[in-house]
Amino acid sequence: MSVEILPMTADDLDAAIALWRSTDGVGMAESDEPEHLQLFLKRNPGLSLVARNGPRLVGTVLCGQDGRRGFLYHLAVIPEYRKRGLGRSMVEHCLAALAALGVLKCNILLYVHNEAGERFWKSGGWAERADLKLMQRETDDRHRDGEAEPRWQ
């Protein structure tokens, strides 16, 4: 396996979205449309990664930061490349890049039913925070007034 880990570019988005849609445990929402992802990449240059074996995209991770905390989203590796350390390697690249920016901690979001994902993250030293609860609200009030249903459900 000759896999190269590279910064994600806008040219990678179609293949990345296809991978995420085919990966159990990866939730897709309106913020995963190409135009939103392009903005994410511009705000966080060089942090998100793809893994390629030649021209074939075999893994991805979105990485961003707000100046205080890092965030990882959509870590995915195609099935035949799993259990080889590729996911962990991409995560370590992201953590090193965040540390170089002075970001001291990194967070992930994980669906409660994603047992395989939870095993992966815990095996890498990630710890669940029982003292925090995630809360979310749409920024567009049309979703709150009944004109449209929230799309994350």
Side-chain angles (χ1 to χ4, degrees):
M1 173 175 77
S2 177
V3 175
E4 190 174 14
I5 296 175
L6 304 162
M8 184 183 288
T9 70
D11 292 337
D12 296 312
L13 292 176
D14 288 340
I17 291 168
L19 174 58
W20 299 332
R21 286 189 176 138
S22 69
T23 302
D24 287 340
V26 175
M28 301 292 288
E30 65 276 358
S31 58
D32 294 313
E33 298 294 328
E35 62 272 13
H36 295 287
L37 292 167
Q38 287 177 20
L39 290 172
F40 184 86
L41 295 176
K42 285 181 185 177
R43 279 189 218 97
N44 298 284
L47 294 179
S48 296
L49 303 171
V50 294
R52 291 193 169 280
N53 187 353
R56 185 177 185 202
L57 186 133
V58 298
T60 65
V61 64
L62 287 176
C63 178
Q65 55 94 17
D66 63 9
R68 187 167 177 268
R69 294 285 185 261
F71 298 89
L72 298 181
Y73 307 95
H74 296 357
L75 174 66
V77 175
I78 64 172
E80 59 266 32
Y81 283 77
R82 293 181 188 161
K83 307 282 188 197
R84 300 180 189 190
L86 183 55
R88 194 157 323 284
S89 182
M90 287 190 295
V91 168
E92 293 303 321
H93 275 80
C94 289
L95 294 177
L98 291 168
L101 293 172
V103 177
L104 301 178
K105 294 184 180 182
C106 187
N107 298 318
I108 61 163
L109 299 174
L110 185 65
Y111 283 117
V112 295
H113 65 275
N114 187 349
E115 295 174 8
E118 185 173 352
R119 282 191 303 275
F120 170 84
W121 290 107
K122 284 185 174 180
S123 74
W126 295 75
E128 185 174 349
R129 295 281 308 259
D131 59 328
L132 298 175
K133 184 179 284 195
L134 174 67
M135 298 178 76
Q136 188 173 73
R137 187 194 138 170
E138 296 276 350
T139 58
D140 185 341
D141 281 337
R142 288 180 301 143
H143 297 288
R144 295 184 60 220
D145 296 334
E147 290 183 33
E149 292 294 315
R151 291 179 39 176
W152 67 78
Q153 298 175 352

